[in-house]
CSV table of all heavy atoms in Angstrom, one decimal:
chain,number,residue,atom,x,y,z
A,10,ASN,N,27.1,-35.0,-15.1
A,10,ASN,CA,26.1,-34.7,-14.0
A,10,ASN,C,25.6,-33.3,-14.4
A,10,ASN,O,26.3,-32.4,-14.5
A,10,ASN,CB,26.9,-34.6,-12.7
A,10,ASN,CG,26.3,-33.8,-11.6
A,10,ASN,OD1,25.1,-33.6,-11.6
A,10,ASN,ND2,27.1,-33.4,-10.7
A,43,ILE,N,23.3,-37.8,-15.5
A,43,ILE,CA,22.8,-37.7,-14.1
A,43,ILE,C,21.9,-36.5,-14.0
A,43,ILE,O,22.4,-35.4,-13.7
A,43,ILE,CB,23.9,-37.7,-13.1
A,43,ILE,CG1,24.9,-38.9,-13.4
A,43,ILE,CG2,23.4,-37.8,-11.7
A,43,ILE,CD1,26.0,-39.2,-12.4
A,58,GLU,N,15.0,-47.6,-25.2
A,58,GLU,CA,15.6,-48.3,-26.3
A,58,GLU,C,17.2,-48.1,-26.4
A,58,GLU,O,17.8,-48.5,-27.3
A,58,GLU,CB,15.0,-47.9,-27.7
A,58,GLU,CG,13.5,-48.0,-27.8
A,58,GLU,CD,13.1,-49.5,-27.8
A,58,GLU,OE1,13.7,-50.3,-28.6
A,58,GLU,OE2,12.3,-49.9,-27.0
A,77,THR,N,12.8,-35.7,5.7
A,77,THR,CA,12.2,-34.8,4.8
A,77,THR,C,13.2,-34.3,3.7
A,77,THR,O,14.3,-33.9,4.1
A,77,THR,CB,11.7,-33.6,5.6
A,77,THR,OG1,10.7,-34.0,6.5
A,77,THR,CG2,11.0,-32.5,4.6
A,114,LYS,N,25.8,-45.2,2.3
A,114,LYS,CA,25.1,-45.0,1.0
A,114,LYS,C,25.7,-46.0,-0.1
A,114,LYS,O,24.9,-46.5,-0.8
A,114,LYS,CB,25.3,-43.6,0.5
A,114,LYS,CG,24.6,-42.5,1.4
A,114,LYS,CD,24.8,-41.1,0.9
A,114,LYS,CE,24.1,-40.2,1.9
A,114,LYS,NZ,23.8,-38.8,1.4
A,133,SER,N,41.7,-27.0,-2.4
A,133,SER,CA,42.9,-26.2,-2.6
A,133,SER,C,43.8,-26.1,-1.3
A,133,SER,O,45.0,-26.0,-1.4
A,133,SER,CB,42.5,-24.8,-3.1
A,133,SER,OG,41.6,-24.3,-2.2
A,139,ASN,N,49.9,-29.8,1.0
A,139,ASN,CA,50.5,-31.1,0.7
A,139,ASN,C,49.9,-32.2,1.5
A,139,ASN,O,50.6,-33.2,1.9
A,139,ASN,CB,52.0,-31.1,0.8
A,139,ASN,CG,52.7,-32.0,-0.1
A,139,ASN,OD1,52.0,-32.5,-1.0
A,139,ASN,ND2,53.9,-32.3,0.1
A,178,GLY,N,37.2,-23.1,-11.4
A,178,GLY,CA,38.2,-24.2,-11.3
A,178,GLY,C,39.4,-24.0,-12.3
A,178,GLY,O,39.3,-23.3,-13.3
A,182,SER,N,47.0,-30.4,-14.5
A,182,SER,CA,47.9,-30.9,-15.6
A,182,SER,C,47.7,-32.4,-15.7
A,182,SER,O,47.3,-33.1,-14.8
A,182,SER,CB,49.3,-30.6,-15.3
A,182,SER,OG,49.8,-31.4,-14.2
A,195,HIS,N,46.9,-47.7,-6.5
A,195,HIS,CA,47.7,-48.4,-5.6
A,195,HIS,C,46.9,-48.7,-4.3
A,195,HIS,O,46.9,-49.7,-3.7
A,195,HIS,CB,49.0,-47.7,-5.3
A,195,HIS,CG,50.0,-47.9,-6.3
A,195,HIS,ND1,50.5,-46.9,-7.1
A,195,HIS,CD2,50.5,-49.1,-6.8
A,195,HIS,CE1,51.3,-47.4,-8.0
A,195,HIS,NE2,51.3,-48.7,-7.9
A,201,PHE,N,42.0,-54.0,-1.7
A,201,PHE,CA,41.1,-55.1,-2.2
A,201,PHE,C,41.9,-56.1,-3.1
A,201,PHE,O,41.3,-56.8,-4.0
A,201,PHE,CB,40.0,-54.5,-3.1
A,201,PHE,CG,39.1,-53.6,-2.2
A,201,PHE,CD1,39.2,-52.2,-2.3
A,201,PHE,CD2,38.1,-54.2,-1.4
A,201,PHE,CE1,38.4,-51.4,-1.5
A,201,PHE,CE2,37.3,-53.4,-0.6
A,201,PHE,CZ,37.4,-52.0,-0.7
A,202,ASP,N,43.2,-56.1,-2.9
A,202,ASP,CA,44.1,-57.0,-3.7
A,202,ASP,C,43.8,-56.8,-5.2
A,202,ASP,O,43.6,-55.7,-5.7
A,202,ASP,CB,43.9,-58.4,-3.3
A,202,ASP,CG,44.2,-58.6,-1.8
A,202,ASP,OD1,45.1,-58.0,-1.3
A,202,ASP,OD2,43.5,-59.4,-1.2
A,203,GLU,N,43.9,-57.9,-6.0
A,203,GLU,CA,43.8,-57.7,-7.4
A,203,GLU,C,42.5,-57.2,-7.9
A,203,GLU,O,42.4,-56.6,-9.0
A,203,GLU,CB,44.2,-59.1,-8.1
A,203,GLU,CG,43.2,-60.2,-8.0
A,203,GLU,CD,43.0,-60.8,-6.6
A,203,GLU,OE1,43.9,-60.6,-5.8
A,203,GLU,OE2,42.0,-61.4,-6.4
A,253,ASP,N,35.8,-41.8,-29.8
A,253,ASP,CA,35.4,-43.0,-30.6
A,253,ASP,C,36.4,-43.3,-31.7
A,253,ASP,O,36.8,-44.4,-32.0
A,253,ASP,CB,34.0,-42.8,-31.2
A,253,ASP,CG,33.4,-44.1,-31.7
A,253,ASP,OD1,33.5,-45.1,-31.0
A,253,ASP,OD2,32.9,-44.1,-32.8
Side-chain angles (χ1 to χ4, degrees):
N10 159 23
I43 309 188
E58 305 291 309
T77 301
K114 295 181 184 199
S133 53
N139 209 12
S182 71
H195 281 120
F201 300 101
D202 302 323
E203 71 291 343
D253 195 47

